[in-house]
Amino acid sequence: MSILVTGGAGYIGSHTCVELLNEGYQIVVLDNFYNSKPQSIKRIKELTGKDFPFYECDILDREGLRKVFKENNIDCVIHFAGLKAVGESVKIPLKYYYNNVTGTIVLCEVMAEYGCKNIVFSSSATVYGMPKKMPMTETDPVDIAGITNPYGRTKLMIEEMLRDVYRSDNEWNIALLRYFNPIGAHESGKLGEDPNGIPNNLMPYISQVAIGKLPVLSIYGDDYPTHDGTGVRDYIHVVDLAKGHVKAVEWINLKKGVDAFNLGTGTGYSVLDLVNSFSKVNDIKINYKIVGRRAGDIAVCYSDPAKAKEVLGWTAQLGIDDMCRDTWRWQKLNPNGFDE
Ligand code: NAD
Ligand code: WQD
């Protein structure tokens, strides 16, 4: 079985390639390196000892995609390629809609041309918008008007679009995977998150403070209704998340149509819990200061992962200490990310 991984050079895609190869799948990878480096492809090959075709290609490039499908017998696509910076999406929304929504349309059209109607899509907990209850379950209503940024709206639009594709043609099989907060790195220290510029997300920020690249972590608010006043999230180890994709491919093979699944641990940790765990397991003090709340943030967000367990047979195995330990190993061994 051959799987095309779009955005396979990126953070979650690269870890998923490793898990797929380790499970014996054939993969074909494409990426335009907009937010990643060729080095990650080299590392996937080193780590697994396996080779695979790679295409430097944009999902908006129809002819480029056709070449990939023509030269390979693709059974299923795992579709990571997309832009993901929430703040940037507010500033340049059209770029987000074009890349994420139009890119997915072009991809699906080319898939259909080549008779490939199986897709696993990287969605996000952000589709739930401002939550009315916790934990979040897949049956909670999703409403475009309740989503606070264009990035999140692209994810819900794509989910709805893919559901329409299925309604129009029941030969499609579509897994919509709603990730919570992926953090951590491969335990080898060879793969991890390599953000451009100053990180927007908490864990890469903590690890850059730890390595001395940034002086101090700003904690956005300590007056939320949580156990210590800081925001609570469902952090999930990227390797657990990657394994969830292998399970989703197995589910796709059962030809079950379209469905959405939360991929999270089901446990919420606060900003201070994460800082304290990072300090404890790595024996490093993290400088931080409390500042005002970040616009658009919610107090608490965590998943009910029961459906993924029941239907996909997937449960997260790794805990917050593993996430902190592996992040730090990656950061220490690669202080400049994939730039060698
Ligand atoms: P990433 O930026 O590391 O990976 C995305 C990859 O897609 C990058 O390598 C980028 O170069 C590539 N890409 C972007 N646009 C492309 C295009 N038009 N053509 C070809 N390649 C393109 O991000 P990630 O964290 O690995 O996220 C992967 C997917 O998961 C994204 O769709 C993201 O929205 C989604 N997601 C991520 C998170 C998170 O917190 N990291 C949470 C929920 C959902
Ligand atoms: C986590 C917590 C912050 C940075 C985002 C996207 C979401 C998804 C995952 C893609 C919050 C606090 C953060 C900092 C801080 N991505 N924080 N200081 O906001 O839950 O989710 O990434 O789909 O769509 O919105 O993640 O890591 O930015 O924040 O105090 O420097 O850390 O306030 O409580 P978030 P995050």
Side-chain angles (χ1 to χ4, degrees):
M1 166 143 199
S2 188
I3 298 170
L4 172 64
V5 184
T6 76
Y11 174 46
I12 306 169
S14 58
H15 288 83
T16 301
C17 289
V18 169
E19 296 307 316
L20 289 167
L21 289 166
N22 287 344
E23 288 297 319
Y25 288 95
Q26 306 264 332
I27 63 169
V28 176
V29 180
L30 79 76
D31 203 297
N32 65 358
F33 295 128
Y34 180 85
N35 195 38
S36 54
K37 311 233 168 69
Q39 195 62 23
S40 73
I41 299 297
K42 204 175 132 209
R43 297 271 179 100
I44 297 167
K45 293 183 179 179
E46 273 172 25
L47 258 174
T48 59
K50 294 188 179 168
D51 202 6
F52 51 84
F54 174 80
Y55 293 82
E56 185 168 347
C57 174
D58 196 302
I59 52 166
L60 288 154
D61 171 7
R62 192 179 294 269
E63 283 312 315
L65 281 180
R66 283 184 173 137
K67 182 171 153 55
V68 175
F69 278 85
K70 204 176 288 166
E71 292 180 359
N72 302 278
N73 200 358
I74 308 285
D75 301 296
C76 179
V77 175
I78 305 184
H79 178 31
F80 293 104
L83 303 180
K84 63 163 184 177
V86 170
E88 187 183 62
S89 78
V90 177
K91 295 193 187 101
I92 45 170
L94 294 179
K95 186 160 179 168
Y96 273 68
Y97 287 110
Y98 187 53
N99 192 79
N100 293 5
V101 181
T102 310
T104 305
I105 294 173
V106 176
L107 174 67
C108 289
E109 284 178 344
V110 175
M111 286 174 67
E113 256 178 60
Y114 286 84
C116 174
K117 297 183 180 178
N118 298 314
I119 185 167
V120 178
F121 173 62
S122 295
S123 189
S124 169
T126 194
V127 300
Y128 292 113
M130 288 294 182
K132 291 179 189 61
K133 65 157 193 51
M134 277 303 145
M136 289 166 168
T137 55
E138 293 85 349
T139 49
D140 289 349
V142 288
D143 173 9
I144 204 115
I147 298 177
T148 51
N149 59 79
Y151 162 73
R153 282 188 275 277
T154 70
K155 290 292 173 191
L156 186 56
M157 282 183 186
I158 296 167
E159 281 201 8
E160 293 302 320
M161 193 172 83
L162 291 173
R163 287 182 193 275
D164 282 336
V165 168
Y166 175 73
R167 282 182 198 112
S168 73
D169 177 355
N170 288 182
E171 282 180 13
W172 281 82
N173 297 290
I174 302 168
L176 309 169
L177 302 185
R178 296 175 175 166
Y179 314 154
F180 280 68
N181 288 59
I183 60 170
H186 196 267
E187 66 169 355
S188 63
K190 283 184 177 294
L191 288 177
E193 190 169 11
D194 181 16
N196 281 326
I198 296 177
N200 300 309
N201 296 116
L202 179 60
M203 187 54 131
Y205 208 108
I206 292 176
S207 69
Q208 292 202 11
V209 170
I211 198 108
K213 282 189 159 186
L214 294 168
V216 56
L217 167 73
S218 294
I219 296 185
Y220 300 137
D222 66 351
D223 56 352
Y224 285 108
T226 62
H227 63 275
D228 59 21
T230 65
V232 164
R233 297 290 182 275
D234 185 341
Y235 297 99
I236 171 168
H237 197 295
V238 66
V239 172
D240 273 331
L241 190 63
K243 290 181 173 164
H245 292 74
V246 177
K247 292 292 187 187
V249 169
E250 288 170 9
W251 176 83
I252 289 254
N253 283 335
L254 300 174
K255 306 210 170 301
K256 296 281 193 183
V258 59
D259 214 344
F261 301 96
N262 287 341
L263 295 187
T265 65
T267 305
Y269 288 102
S270 73
V271 178
L272 280 172
D273 289 336
L274 202 64
V275 169
N276 292 335
S277 169
F278 194 99
S279 298
K280 182 192 74 188
V281 298
N282 298 317
D283 198 17
I284 290 181
K285 188 177 172 309
I286 303 296
N287 276 330
Y288 69 81
K289 60 179 181 192
I290 307 289
V291 301
R293 292 182 180 191
R294 183 172 66 177
D297 268 354
I298 53 179
V300 179
C301 170
Y302 60 92
S303 67
D304 176 349
K307 184 174 172 186
K309 182 175 183 191
E310 194 185 311
V311 181
L312 303 180
W314 171 90
T315 322
Q317 302 294 320
L318 299 167
I320 186 176
D321 288 353
D322 303 300
M323 303 178 208
C324 291
R325 184 201 59 223
D326 293 340
T327 300
W328 180 231
R329 186 182 298 111
W330 154 254
Q331 180 74 71
K332 247 186 336 191
L333 292 174
N334 307 271
N336 300 313
F338 286 110
D339 287 332
E340 285 178 339

